[in-house]
Amino acid sequence: MSLVVVGASTNIARVAQTLGEPLIFVQLPGSHVPDLIRDDVDEAFTLDFRDERVLARFAEEILSPRRPKAVVSVTEGGLQPAAVLSTLLGTPATSVDVVRVMRDKLLMRELLAQRAPQLSVAFADARDEDAVAKLFAGHDHVIVKPVSGTASEGVRRLDAADEARLYTDGNIFEEYVDGPEYSVESFSRAGRHDVVAIVEKGVAGHFVEVSHLTPPTTLTAGESNLIERSVRELLDALGLRDGPAHTELKVSNHGVKIIETHNRPGGDGIADLVAITCGLDWRRLSLGWPLGESPVDPRPRANAAAITYFTAPPGTVTRTTEPACVSDGVTVEDWAIEVKVGDVVNDLRSSRDRVGWAIVSGTSAQACHSAVAALRAQPVVVTEAVS
């Protein structure tokens, strides 16, 4: 018997191998994860797991005879295929319906409007011209985003109704909510939702995430309690009972408003921040929960941690710098530059346009916050505009 992992990155494959189970990797064509296969222990199969007919044949012909213990994914594109395979095989998992409503922003809004309207915002399906016109008439600013988008791709703030004509089927319009933004990592077991970490988010450009800090420096104890209660209400409303969740929200003058949620751990290095400040291997727990993996003897390494993503003006890279010194009480845990001299940097329109990162830990959230500000102010990657 084995654990099936759908759509694993190289890093996730390494973590999965620590669970002590034979693994079956299910990958899209072109994946390099099979390079990590342990001889005589793991297997790898390449198929278009986005096609449910392909999944059904794969489950019947390949997986069913192997009798896997569970099917799991922690990557956005693998969540629904993993749920489909779990249903076909009868293994423990979040249901397909719950995964679908957490991935589809329009379905989520419609369900929240019925079950927890206090957590939601006004919205309109891009296909409904009357609803879109009504939304713009009632709000000065409106957000448009793909219904199933990720990585801040395609997220825009619109200030006039005539701009809506550029966005059609496949998009959702939402009331713009002012206020600070946070993400929440939670772990559920049999319908009980425990908040693991609240993370303060920094954004730039077209709402692209450029920093994450935990614990936040901008929340009162009352606001933290309100966030935790709101996340539990959200997960109950959507029907999540087991496993990890990553929820993005804002704290406004009208209370907590949900931006989106997913039944997976947060990306962008948030799992590393959880490991530092909570002492939990968040990736391993998120992969292993169907096998009974649960938080055990957490041992935090620092009071606070943050990740900042480096950005640069559009152009050709002319210079990159070495790790910088930061203030007392702060340690640089990781540093990476993903571009080299001669590469072209694009305008900052999604997470894919960032050029590197630094992870820091510290004695306090304020120390990490100051370190992030200092690093963001430095020209870590220098570019020259293309004439």
Side-chain angles (χ1 to χ4, degrees):
M1 299 179 76
S2 53
L3 175 67
V4 180
V5 185
V6 180
S9 64
T10 300
N11 189 28
I12 290 301
R14 290 195 179 100
V15 174
Q17 288 172 341
T18 70
L19 290 168
E21 298 286 344
L23 302 173
I24 298 174
F25 292 110
V26 183
Q27 300 295 120
L28 289 173
S31 168
H32 297 294
V33 171
D35 295 343
L36 297 176
I37 294 300
R38 298 171 294 188
D39 292 342
D40 302 322
V41 178
D42 302 332
E43 296 182 277
F45 296 90
T46 300
L47 64 145
D48 186 357
F49 53 66
R50 298 164 296 191
D51 187 330
E52 292 195 12
R53 293 170 299 179
V54 172
L55 283 179
R57 291 195 301 270
F58 179 67
E60 180 180 3
E61 298 171 8
I62 303 298
L63 294 183
S64 186
R66 288 164 169 78
R67 300 178 60 200
K69 293 181 179 179
V71 183
V72 68
S73 181
V74 295
T75 52
E76 190 67 20
L79 295 174
Q80 193 162 313
V84 170
L85 287 174
S86 295
T87 299
L88 293 170
L89 296 167
T91 56
T94 299
S95 74
V96 175
D97 287 343
V98 172
V99 174
R100 184 177 290 118
V101 81
M102 294 183 83
R103 292 199 67 231
D104 187 307
K105 297 173 179 60
L106 180 58
L107 289 178
M108 183 198 73
R109 289 292 174 206
E110 291 172 343
L111 195 58
L112 282 185
Q114 300 171 24
R115 299 181 179 176
Q118 75 280 6
L119 298 178
S120 194
V121 296
F123 67 96
D125 186 339
R127 296 168 296 187
D128 188 336
E129 293 184 4
D130 290 341
V132 171
K134 182 178 178 181
L135 183 68
F136 274 91
H139 300 90
D140 293 333
H141 309 295
V142 170
I143 293 293
V144 62
K145 63 177 73 170
V147 167
S148 57
T150 59
S152 304
E153 194 89 49
V155 180
R156 299 289 184 272
R157 193 183 85 168
L158 307 181
D159 302 322
D162 58 0
E163 297 177 272
R165 297 194 308 269
L166 301 174
Y167 303 92
T168 54
D169 191 13
N171 286 286
I172 180 174
F173 293 94
E174 297 179 348
E175 166 194 357
Y176 174 73
V177 178
D178 204 3
E181 188 169 353
Y182 304 91
S183 60
V184 180
E185 303 300 292
S186 61
F187 185 76
S188 303
R189 179 70 74 183
R192 174 180 173 176
H193 315 297
D194 293 320
V195 169
V196 174
I198 301 176
V199 183
E200 182 180 324
K201 181 188 298 188
V203 298
H206 296 281
F207 302 99
V208 178
E209 297 169 5
V210 293
S211 67
H212 301 281
L213 166 70
T214 188
T217 59
T218 52
L219 288 176
T220 65
E223 289 170 332
S224 294
N225 290 335
L226 177 60
I227 286 175
E228 293 192 17
R229 186 167 66 250
S230 298
V231 168
R232 294 188 179 102
E233 291 174 356
L234 166 74
L235 299 180
D236 281 341
L238 300 186
L240 184 74
R241 293 189 55 78
D242 295 285
H246 168 73
T247 302
E248 300 176 12
L249 53 83
K250 283 191 172 185
V251 178
S252 74
N253 293 332
H254 302 288
V256 169
K257 298 298 179 182
I258 301 300
I259 306 300
E260 58 187 63
T261 189
H262 313 266
N263 66 310
R264 57 165 173 78
D268 267 6
I270 288 175
D272 299 299
L273 308 188
V274 170
I276 292 168
T277 60
C278 302
L280 296 176
D281 190 331
W282 191 221
R283 295 184 181 92
R284 178 186 166 99
L285 181 59
S286 298
L287 284 166
W289 72 265
L291 304 175
E293 191 83 7
S294 60
V296 177
D297 191 23
R299 298 182 181 181
R301 293 195 287 110
N303 294 331
I307 182 169
T308 182
Y309 280 88
F310 303 129
T311 59
T316 302
V317 177
T318 59
R319 180 168 58 87
T320 63
T321 63
E322 294 299 314
C325 294
V326 292
S327 57
D328 291 342
V330 174
T331 300
V332 176
E333 299 272 350
D334 190 27
W335 179 287
I337 302 298
E338 295 187 297
V339 293
K340 61 183 183 300
V341 172
D343 286 349
V344 174
V345 174
N346 297 318
D347 190 20
L348 186 64
R349 292 186 175 274
S350 80
S351 300
R352 298 176 182 87
D353 299 315
R354 301 174 305 196
V355 296
W357 69 84
I359 297 176
V360 298
S361 62
T363 54
S364 70
Q366 189 57 56
C368 288
H369 183 275
S370 297
V372 165
L375 288 168
R376 293 278 308 150
Q378 297 178 29
V380 173
V381 173
V382 179
T383 58
E384 183 178 87
V386 178
S387 59

